[in-house]
Amino acid sequence: MEDFTDEHYLDFANNEYTYTDKIKQKIRSLSEQHAEKRFRDLLDTDAVFMKPSYSLATHITPGDTAKDIAKSLYEKEGKMNGFEEHVINEIGNMENILFWTRNSDKRGFRINGFINHYPDFIVQTKSGKTILVETKGDHLEAASKIQLGSLWAQKAGNNFRYFLVYEKRTEAGTHTLEEFLLKLKDI
């Protein structure tokens, strides 16, 4: 603010909340960039590493439930939006799928890194691969999730995969639903 003119100060005084929001957004953005860089540095030097610590629950009690879909691990799964339901219905009808389950936000499996990411679904194939699936509407941004999911898959080993799936949108590190389903049938 040392370069502010009298006009700038007047504008600031008249638009305090706008300036406050912009300052908060800038601080948040810089903080997220720093956290990601620091996390990558720690991964590169093995100061942060993968440690298996998650196991599927023996039972769940979702509040709102989804309709029954083939190969669900539990009798009832948590509610889903339309695209999530479409994706998991396609997955549940594949021959190579052993089971799937809805991963619950804030209580389920998370990829803990520069953000905490709770992928939408955990899928187990008959070949023993565990696949994390994050679905996104084509209008939504997911750069942090794409990056963290990719890092997790690289470190987790050959029996684990991560896919961020859009319906039709194409972006580096993601798959369209059609591409994803073609790959999944061969895993």
Side-chain angles (χ1 to χ4, degrees):
M1 293 176 63
E2 60 191 31
D3 295 333
F4 269 26
T5 64
D6 287 342
E7 277 185 26
H8 288 121
Y9 282 112
L10 184 59
D11 188 51
F12 178 76
N14 290 330
N15 297 293
E16 178 182 346
Y17 294 110
T18 302
Y19 277 87
T20 301
D21 286 344
K22 287 184 181 197
I23 292 168
K24 285 180 182 178
Q25 287 173 2
K26 184 64 174 182
I27 291 170
R28 190 176 305 115
S29 173
L30 292 171
S31 176
E32 289 169 358
Q33 288 173 18
H34 175 75
E36 181 178 351
K37 182 184 180 321
R38 184 72 179 129
F39 181 71
R40 286 177 181 273
D41 290 346
L42 292 171
L43 278 177
D44 290 344
T45 60
D46 289 330
V48 172
F49 52 89
M50 300 288 293
K51 180 180 173 187
S53 63
Y54 183 78
S55 58
L56 293 166
T58 56
H59 69 282
I60 60 171
T61 53
D64 291 332
T65 58
K67 70 179 189 179
D68 293 339
I69 297 176
K71 298 183 184 164
S72 168
L73 180 60
Y74 302 105
E75 188 175 323
K76 291 289 182 187
E77 295 281 351
K79 190 173 182 176
M80 303 170 216
N81 67 38
F83 183 56
E84 291 170 337
E85 189 175 290
H86 175 66
V87 170
I88 206 62
N89 190 53
E90 293 288 331
I91 292 170
N93 286 311
M94 297 177 89
E95 289 293 321
N96 65 322
I97 301 302
L98 183 61
F99 69 82
W100 66 270
T101 186
R102 177 94 163 99
N103 188 37
S104 68
D105 286 349
K106 309 293 185 254
R107 294 179 296 157
F109 175 84
R110 79 172 175 261
I111 302 173
N112 188 0
F114 54 92
I115 60 169
N116 286 325
H117 174 27
Y118 297 82
D120 296 322
F121 301 102
I122 301 170
V123 178
Q124 187 73 38
T125 66
K126 290 179 180 175
S127 68
K129 306 289 187 205
T130 301
I131 300 166
L132 300 182
V133 180
E134 174 72 7
T135 59
K136 283 284 171 228
D138 287 349
H139 64 288
L140 298 171
E141 293 296 325
S144 294
K145 291 180 178 182
I146 295 165
Q147 293 169 12
L148 187 59
S150 176
L151 286 170
W152 176 85
Q154 290 170 17
K155 293 285 189 173
N158 193 44
N159 286 327
F160 300 91
R161 304 285 189 279
Y162 175 88
F163 292 95
L164 193 136
V165 179
Y166 284 115
E167 186 170 8
K168 293 185 170 126
R169 180 177 171 173
T170 57
E171 184 176 329
T174 70
H175 295 80
T176 64
L177 178 56
E178 185 178 341
E179 292 169 342
F180 167 67
L181 294 173
L182 286 172
K183 280 189 180 186
L184 182 59
K185 75 179 181 68
D186 293 330
I187 298 176

